[in-house]
């Protein structure tokens, strides 16, 4: 129906930061609030999609009609996304990867709280986290029909977004100008870059409005 243009479609959305433990009480994380991803999950659900929201630690309520899976680390986020993609209910149609996944994790997590010691502060070595978006975008039977990534950039938004499109293998990139205050803020200025070369720019507007606009473009894509 007109009001539910994504009825029968399955979507997976990632949102929020990841938290990478150092020891049982400490960790590495970032300032992502999860607001944009939660708003996208809500907008897709409002349009009739069956939405699983794989969320890092945030202080946000689950949007109506959305199934949330809460995770902490990038490795857990990747496993939760893969579980959605291999659901016996069938392939997901839509993936929107808006999480601010930590690029690195501590390679050996201490089993107990690390103590201050006379020898000075500890040193940690980092290892790279899996790129969830690149994995989801890889060709294969589980690849969603439409994979959307985000690019938060302070300079050269178009060039960086286009490079990210080809490097990650996704279909669309939502380019996010973060030179202005965005993290945790209510508003967002974005441009949508598509693999076919078309772009669409939305004036700085609320994260809810950005999510509505993106969900409308997604619905158009499936109902063209
Ligand atoms: O490479 P960069 O982190 O700038 O790319 C951002 C995009 O890739 C976002 O869509 C983000 O959710 C996704 N990403 C991911 N897994 C990572 C790093 C980024 O899914 N490890």
């Amino acid at each position: 129906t007109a009001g539910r243009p994504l009825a029968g479609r399955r979507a997976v959305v990632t949102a929020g930061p990841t938290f990478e433990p150092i020891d049982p009480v400490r960790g590495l994380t970032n300032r992502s609030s999860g607001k944009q991803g939660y708003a996208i999950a809500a907008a897709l659900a409002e349009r009739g999609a069956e939405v699983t929201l794989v969320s890092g630690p945030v202080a946000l309520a689950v949007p109506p009609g959305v199934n949330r899976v809460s995770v902490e680390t990038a490795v857990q986020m990747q496993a939760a996304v893969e579980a959605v993609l291999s659901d016996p209910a069938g392939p997901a149609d839509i993936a929107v990867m808006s999480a601010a996944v930590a690029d690195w994790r501590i390679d050996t997590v201490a089993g107990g709280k690390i103590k201050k010691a006379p020898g000075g502060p500890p040193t940690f070595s980092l290892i790279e986290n899996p790129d969830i978006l690149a994995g989801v975008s890889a060709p294969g039977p589980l690849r969603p029909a439409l994979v959307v990534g985000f690019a938060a950039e302070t300079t050269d938004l178009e060039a960086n977004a286009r490079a990210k499109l080809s490097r990650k293998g996704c279909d669309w990139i939502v380019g996010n100008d973060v030179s202005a205050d965005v993290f945790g803020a209510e508003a967002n200025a974005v441009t949508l870059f598509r693999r076919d070369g078309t772009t669409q720019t939305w004036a700085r507007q609320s994260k809810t409005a950005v999510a509505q606009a993106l969900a409308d473009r997604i619905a158009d894509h499936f109902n063209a």
Side-chain angles (χ1 to χ4, degrees):
T1 70
R4 297 173 66 81
L6 291 173
R9 303 288 179 182
R10 294 179 62 236
V12 58
V13 178
T14 66
T18 65
F19 178 90
E20 310 295 336
I22 293 172
D23 69 15
V25 299
R26 304 184 180 96
L28 291 178
T29 189
N30 62 65
R31 293 185 183 280
S32 169
S33 67
K35 284 176 186 169
Q36 185 64 81
Y38 272 59
I40 291 165
L44 293 173
E46 281 163 16
R47 286 159 183 73
E50 188 189 310
V51 182
T52 302
L53 173 59
V54 179
S55 175
V58 298
L60 296 172
V62 186
V66 168
N67 169 38
R68 178 170 66 181
V69 176
S70 294
V71 299
E72 282 200 334
T73 68
V75 167
Q76 290 166 358
M77 185 172 278
Q78 181 185 46
V81 168
E82 282 173 1
V84 177
L85 297 187
S86 54
D87 192 300
D93 303 285
I94 303 156
V96 182
M97 307 281 97
S98 69
V101 181
D103 290 315
W104 312 283
R105 66 178 180 275
I106 306 289
D107 102 1
T108 310
V109 178
K113 184 182 174 190
I114 299 168
K115 297 286 198 193
K116 267 192 272 190
T123 56
F124 301 111
S125 61
L126 301 176
I127 53 173
E128 211 156 300
N129 269 327
D131 191 317
I132 302 168
L133 173 59
V136 168
S137 300
L142 299 181
R143 189 196 192 278
L146 182 66
V147 181
V148 183
F150 276 72
E153 307 290 345
T154 51
T155 55
D156 298 322
L157 183 61
E158 166 128 37
N160 286 313
R162 294 246 169 251
K164 204 158 288 188
L165 264 179
S166 53
R167 191 168 70 246
K168 306 260 189 180
C170 56
D171 302 299
W172 297 357
I173 285 272
V174 180
N176 206 342
D177 179 356
V178 292
S179 56
D181 167 46
V182 168
F183 283 90
E186 293 302 327
N188 214 350
V190 308
T191 302
L192 180 62
F193 299 92
R194 296 193 184 86
R195 211 164 13 169
D196 67 8
T198 61
T199 63
Q200 222 162 341
T201 299
W202 297 313
R204 187 174 166 88
Q205 56 187 344
S206 72
K207 290 181 177 178
T208 305
V210 169
Q212 303 283 346
L214 180 65
D216 284 339
R217 296 294 77 73
I218 291 172
D220 292 346
H221 176 80
F222 283 97
N223 296 295

